[in-house]
Amino acid sequence: MDSHHSYSQVKGVSTGTTILAVKFNGGVIIGSDSRASMGESYVSSKTINKLIQVHDRIFCCIAGSLADAQAVTKMAKFQLSFHSIQMESPPLVKAAASIMRELCYNNKEELQAGFITAGWDRKKGPQIYVVSLGGMLLSQPYTIGGSGSTYIYGYVDAKFKPDMSLEEATQFSTNALALAMGRDNVSGGVVHLVVITEAEVKHVVVPGNKLPKFHDE
Amino acid sequence: MLQLCLTVHTFFNLAVITFFYFSRKSASFYTSIMAVEFEGGVVIGADSRTTTGAYIANRVTDKLTPIHERIFCCRSGSAADTQAIADAVTYQLGFHSIELDEAPLVQTAASLFREMCYRYREELMAGIIVAGWDPRRGGQVYTVPVGGMMTRQPVSVGGSGSSYIYGYVDSNYRAGMSKEECLKFTAEALTLAMERDGSSGGVVRLAVVSEQGVERQVILGNQLPKFSTV
C-alpha cells in the first residue's frame, strides 16, 4: 500500500495568497488579499499590498516567491518606463506582460513567480494577461491565482459574466476574495482592489469587518 | 488478411498489458462527492470517474453505495479501501439493525465508518460522506474524511474536486432549501468541480434519500448545466 500521504492536491510553490483580475465594461479590476506568511503558521504581515503599479494604467500582482517577484517587477518597471519614453506614448498592457514573460522565460530555472498583469491602454482597452511559472503568456477575461484560488474556481466559473458593470465586478471580486480567504489559512486580512479605467486608477480597501458574510458565519 | 488482424489484435493486447504493467497505480476515486441536508431527507451526488494513473478505468462508476435501506455513503480515495470498508460496515449495520429490530440511525452508520477509518488510518486512504434519513433525526449528513474524524454538517463536499467548489458552495448554500433546489445546487456544484478537476468527470449521479425511500437520477454529459464560457 502506498505510504499514507496527504490527501490535498499538490499546491506547487505559491505564496500564501489569493489574487484575481476581472475585466468589466470599461476597465479591469485587479485584487488580492493582504497576508504575507512565513511557513503556514506565522503571519509576517497583515496588511501588505500585493498590487504593484508598473505604469500609470498598468498593475501587476504576484503569486510565488515574493523576492523573485519584486526583482522581476522592478526590472519590468524600469524597462517599461524606458520603452514608454522611446515610444513617446503610454505603453501597451501587452508590452508590460511581454517584458514579464521574457524575464520569466529566460530565467525559468532560477525564478519561481507567476504574474497577473492587468491594465488599460488606448489600443485594446482593458486587458488581463497571465504570465505563468515557466513563462507562458495568456490573455483571459478573468483569472485567479495563488494558493487560495483553488477554492474559488467553481465560484468564478459560475458567476463570471462578460461585460459586467463596475458594481457587479466589484461585488464579484470582493465575494471571490472573501470566499477564498475564508477557506485558505494563508490568505487573509483585508481585500485590496484596484479599479483601472481610461479615466483613473482607484484603490479600494475593504477591511475585515466589511467583508461579505456567508451562510456559516 | 486474417493473419494481419490477429497480429494487430495481439499487439494491441500486449500494448494494454504493458501499459497496465508500467502504470502500477491502483484504482482511485480522486473524485467529487457532495451531500446536502434538506427538510425531510438528503440529496447526495458524485461524479463517475475511476482512474488508474492516467487511464480512466471506469467512466460510469457508481460511487453512491447503499449501506442500508435509507443510508448511503459517497466514497472517495482508494477504490479498494472504500469498497472494503463499505462492505464491512454494511454487514455490521445489517447485524445491528436485526438485533435492534428497527431501522438503524445514520449516526450509527457514520460511527461505524469512523471507527474503522480511525483505527486503520495508517493503512487506509478513504474519505467518506455518510448520508441518509432516519425517523429520529430526519435527513443527516456526516463527513468522515481521511484520518478518521467524524462531524455532522448541513452540506459536505469531498474528494479532489471539492477544493474547487468550496467558494461556490459557501456562497450558494442556504438553510431551508427544498428538494428541487438541493438537486439543482448539487448538480451545478459537481459540474463546476468536474470541469476543473482532471480526476473527476463523466456523468453526475444523484440520489434523494427520504422517508419515502430512494430516488436515483443520472445527468449525462450533454445535459449538465452550462456556465458562461468565454
Side-chain angles (χ1 to χ4, degrees):
Chain A
M1 178 64 214
D2 291 337
S3 61
H4 182 78
H5 57 86
S6 167
Y7 191 63
S8 63
Q9 73 248 56
V10 175
K11 281 209 177 133
V13 191
S14 348
T15 29
T17 188
T18 312
I19 51 177
L20 62 68
V22 60
K23 220 187 322 189
F24 66 91
N25 199 357
V28 294
I29 294 184
I30 190 169
S32 78
D33 70 311
S34 70
R35 180 173 288 185
S37 45
M38 290 188 346
E40 281 179 10
S41 52
Y42 179 65
V43 176
S44 47
S45 170
K46 293 186 281 186
T47 51
I48 176 177
N49 187 358
K50 302 177 194 177
L51 305 174
I52 301 164
Q53 185 164 22
V54 292
H55 208 266
D56 288 349
R57 294 277 183 285
I58 306 177
F59 273 72
C60 239
C61 53
I62 32 163
S65 151
L66 212 50
D68 286 345
Q70 283 183 346
V72 172
T73 47
K74 211 166 167 186
M75 175 81 87
K77 210 168 165 174
F78 162 75
Q79 292 190 0
L80 202 60
S81 60
F82 196 68
H83 167 75
S84 164
I85 289 170
Q86 282 188 315
M87 304 298 281
E88 286 180 16
S89 74
L92 299 179
V93 185
K94 190 156 190 184
S98 294
I99 292 172
M100 310 286 246
R101 185 266 308 271
E102 283 303 297
L103 292 167
C104 286
Y105 183 72
N106 292 334
N107 299 301
K108 59 158 67 161
E109 314 299 329
E110 285 88 19
L111 290 176
Q112 249 159 8
F115 301 87
I116 297 178
T117 308
W120 185 95
D121 65 42
R122 184 160 312 206
K123 187 171 171 191
K124 282 202 194 147
Q127 296 144 76
I128 297 172
Y129 292 92
V130 178
V131 177
S132 67
L133 222 53
M136 172 186 80
L137 177 64
L138 205 56
S139 171
Q140 295 190 308
Y142 67 96
T143 185
I144 54 181
S147 59
S149 66
T150 40
Y151 305 107
I152 48 173
Y153 271 106
Y155 180 79
V156 300
D157 281 345
K159 283 287 192 288
F160 174 78
K161 292 185 314 287
D163 277 335
M164 290 191 277
S165 70
L166 173 59
E167 290 72 31
E168 289 175 319
T170 311
Q171 192 62 45
F172 169 81
S173 316
T174 317
N175 283 350
L177 287 168
L179 285 164
M181 282 155 52
R183 285 289 182 178
D184 184 25
N185 64 330
V186 287
S187 299
V190 306
V191 165
H192 285 290
L193 295 176
V194 171
V195 182
I196 307 170
T197 53
E198 177 177 5
E200 60 168 0
V201 165
K202 203 165 68 156
H203 190 161
V204 177
V205 175
V206 185
N209 59 342
K210 298 266 175 31
L211 288 174
K213 288 198 187 322
F214 299 99
H215 71 99
D216 52 359
E217 294 168 77
Chain B
M1 182 63 194
L2 184 62
Q3 268 156 348
L4 179 63
C5 285
L6 278 172
T7 317
V8 169
H9 186 72
T10 320
F11 179 73
F12 177 73
N13 277 347
L14 230 53
V16 169
I17 292 165
T18 318
F19 177 82
F20 275 111
Y21 180 81
F22 281 118
S23 70
R24 278 210 186 261
K25 285 252 164 77
S26 48
S28 316
F29 296 156
Y30 290 118
T31 182
S32 308
I33 51 178
M34 182 168 166
V36 190
E37 286 176 10
F38 67 93
E39 184 68 52
V42 292
V43 169
I44 55 176
D47 74 307
S48 69
R49 184 172 286 187
T50 310
T51 49
T52 52
Y55 176 66
I56 299 174
N58 186 350
R59 62 186 169 105
V60 285
T61 326
D62 185 5
K63 301 177 190 175
L64 308 175
T65 313
I67 301 295
H68 203 264
E69 244 189 88
R70 285 183 179 62
I71 305 177
F72 269 68
C73 75
C74 311
R75 303 181 285 135
S76 71
S78 153
D81 286 349
T82 54
Q83 274 183 1
I85 299 169
D87 285 347
V89 171
T90 307
Y91 163 74
Q92 292 171 352
L93 201 64
F95 194 74
H96 169 75
S97 164
I98 288 170
E99 281 188 314
L100 238 57
D101 200 22
E102 67 180 29
L105 298 177
V106 185
Q107 188 175 9
T108 313
S111 292
L112 287 169
F113 272 108
R114 185 263 309 273
E115 260 308 299
M116 198 160 290
C117 291
Y118 180 69
R119 183 174 300 245
Y120 300 109
R121 57 196 301 194
E122 299 302 321
E123 287 90 13
L124 292 175
M125 198 177 74
I128 296 176
I129 299 180
V130 184
W133 182 91
D134 64 41
R136 193 183 296 184
R137 294 206 190 103
Q140 300 146 73
V141 171
Y142 294 88
T143 179
V144 183
V146 170
M149 161 187 102
M150 176 185 75
T151 184
R152 181 177 172 188
Q153 294 180 315
V155 57
S156 184
V157 293
S160 58
S162 67
S163 313
Y164 303 108
I165 49 172
Y166 274 110
Y168 182 78
V169 168
D170 282 345
S171 64
N172 279 58
Y173 172 73
R174 295 176 328 271
M177 289 197 286
S178 70
K179 181 179 88 167
E180 286 69 30
E181 287 174 318
C182 284
L183 280 165
K184 180 159 175 285
F185 173 55
T186 309
E188 285 180 348
L190 288 173
T191 306
L192 287 164
M194 280 155 58
E195 242 158 59
R196 285 289 182 178
D197 181 31
S199 321
S200 304
V203 303
V204 170
R205 291 195 189 272
L206 296 169
V208 181
V209 184
S210 63
E211 182 174 7
Q212 285 77 36
V214 178
E215 304 162 31
R216 302 199 61 146
Q217 332 175 344
V218 179
I219 304 183
L220 300 177
N222 59 345
Q223 298 159 349
L224 292 171
K226 293 199 185 340
F227 295 96
S228 128
T229 44
V230 281

